[in-house]
């Protein structure tokens, strides 16, 4: 068995275990394999083991990998997640290249996306990025801003709000960020009736070091990079 196959199985087992601890089914939690900086061949390798969801955080890298691989590989579907900060002038570039955008954080960006989507005759499922860490440097809305933000973007009908995403503070001890994940769950619970109707609400939280805790706190999507692909070395993005 290859390293990546073994990593994938190990992460999936851990996901299943945490799902059970929170009284859910393993299938209730989607693993997004964060493939940023890894070559397209790493994506198709994982796809051949049945992995469906992949995450990228740079527009150009998302677009070039999507153009190369497309929406399926060897009869396995592939779903693309854009998990990075998106500048308003690049909104047009992700349209048609991702299935779920995780980092909606301003009404100007929502407007730019909506305009492009309307022209393309498409809709895009989006998550609102919320800053639950209290750190000033992070992107995302404050939890207290979410309600007014939902009002502001209500007119943008091509942008479909499916839930919320957060980046917890990096910490060697995952337990320390548990309250941050709980905070995002509370944001979701308070906004449930304002999300796209008849669809499963999404909570995107948890990375390699803390996804087990995020799942216990209600994550429906975890974004796991290095625990699946191995350590990243920057500068190698093709
Ligand atoms: C890189 C990245 C991840 C994955 O990080 P790992 O620690 O490698 O699991 C998750 N979310 C976002 C937004 C990222 O940029």
């Amino acid at each position: 068995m290859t390293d990546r196959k073994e990593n994938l199985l190990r992460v999936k087992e851990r996901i299943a275990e945490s799902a059970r601890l929170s009284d859910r089914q393993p299938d209730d939690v989607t693993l997004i394999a964060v493939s940023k900086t890894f070559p397209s061949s790493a994506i198709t390798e994982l796809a051949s083991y049945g992995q469906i969801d992949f995450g990228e955080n740079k527009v150009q890298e998302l677009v070039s990998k999507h153009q190369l691989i497309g929406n399926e590989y060897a009869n396995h579907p592939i779903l693309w997640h854009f998990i990075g900060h998106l500048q308003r002038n690049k909104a047009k570039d992700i349209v048609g290249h991702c299935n779920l955008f995780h980092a909606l954080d301003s009404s100007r960006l929502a407007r730019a996306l909506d305009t492009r989507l309307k022209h393309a005759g498409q809709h895009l499922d989006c998550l609102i990025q919320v800053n639950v860490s209290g750190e000033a440097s992070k992107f995302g809305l404050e939890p207290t801003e979410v309600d007014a933000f939902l009002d502001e973007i209500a007119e943008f009908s091509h942008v479909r709000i499916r839930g919320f995403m957060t980046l917890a503070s990096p910490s060697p001890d995952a337990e320390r960020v548990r309250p941050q994940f709980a905070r995002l769950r509370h944001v979701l619970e308070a906004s449930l009736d304002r999300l796209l109707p008849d669809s499963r609400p999404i909570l995107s939280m948890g990375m390699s070091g803390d996804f087990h805790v995020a799942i216990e706190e209600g994550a429906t999507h975890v974004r796991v990079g290095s625990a699946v692909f191995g350590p990243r070395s920057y500068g190698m993005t093709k």
Side-chain angles (χ1 to χ4, degrees):
M1 199 154 47
T2 67
D3 285 354
R4 284 193 185 124
K5 189 169 194 179
E6 214 173 293
N7 290 348
L8 182 67
L9 289 177
R10 199 178 311 117
V11 168
K12 293 211 119 192
E13 262 167 35
R14 193 99 192 267
I15 288 173
E17 197 179 297
S18 304
R20 272 183 231 109
L21 277 173
S22 61
D23 284 325
R24 291 185 294 160
Q25 300 297 316
D27 286 352
D28 292 344
V29 182
T30 300
L31 167 63
I32 300 169
V34 177
S35 43
K36 63 185 185 195
T37 78
F38 289 97
S40 297
S41 58
I43 296 179
T44 52
E45 181 191 347
L46 281 197
S48 74
Y49 308 143
Q51 176 61 27
I52 293 171
D53 294 85
F54 293 89
E56 292 288 337
N57 74 335
K58 296 263 190 325
V59 175
Q60 194 44 55
E61 197 175 340
L62 167 79
V63 171
S64 58
K65 287 173 175 172
H66 178 241
Q67 282 172 339
L68 195 67
I69 301 172
N71 299 319
E72 62 168 64
Y73 177 76
N75 292 324
H76 297 281
I78 295 190
L79 296 175
W80 297 90
H81 297 256
F82 190 69
I83 61 175
H85 179 68
L86 181 62
Q87 286 173 314
R88 197 162 40 107
N89 63 353
K90 295 203 174 148
K92 61 182 184 308
D93 298 340
I94 69 161
V95 170
H97 292 293
C98 79
N99 301 88
L100 182 63
F101 170 50
H102 290 235
L104 188 62
D105 61 357
S106 78
S107 51
R108 285 159 36 133
L109 177 58
R111 178 185 297 278
L113 278 170
D114 190 66
T115 302
R116 282 295 163 166
L117 288 162
K118 200 182 299 170
H119 283 307
Q122 293 184 21
H123 293 87
L124 179 61
D125 284 0
C126 296
L127 307 180
I128 296 171
Q129 183 170 356
V130 179
N131 176 3
V132 292
S133 72
E135 288 165 33
S137 62
K138 290 260 175 63
F139 293 112
L141 306 183
E142 296 299 316
T144 51
E145 294 171 334
V146 167
D147 217 38
F149 182 69
L150 284 165
D151 288 338
E152 256 177 78
I153 63 169
E155 64 179 290
F156 304 132
S157 58
H158 295 258
V159 167
R160 294 198 293 219
I161 305 301
R162 297 289 313 275
F164 299 92
M165 174 272 222
T166 201
L167 274 165
S169 324
S171 168
D173 176 8
E175 282 303 326
R176 287 185 44 190
V177 294
R178 184 183 290 276
Q180 298 181 17
F181 294 138
R183 218 166 288 149
L184 194 69
R185 189 184 69 236
H186 294 143
V187 169
L188 179 78
E189 285 165 355
S191 326
L192 274 181
D193 58 349
R194 310 198 55 186
L195 304 180
L196 184 73
D198 302 320
S199 62
R200 209 162 65 99
I202 295 176
L203 262 189
S204 166
M205 56 187 194
M207 313 188 359
S208 290
D210 53 22
F211 67 86
H212 55 293
V213 176
I215 293 168
E216 288 170 30
E217 294 301 327
T220 64
H221 289 58
V222 292
R223 309 178 308 265
V224 180
S226 45
V228 171
F229 287 102
R232 281 182 291 276
S233 63
Y234 286 89
M236 188 193 81
T237 56
K238 256 283 139 178

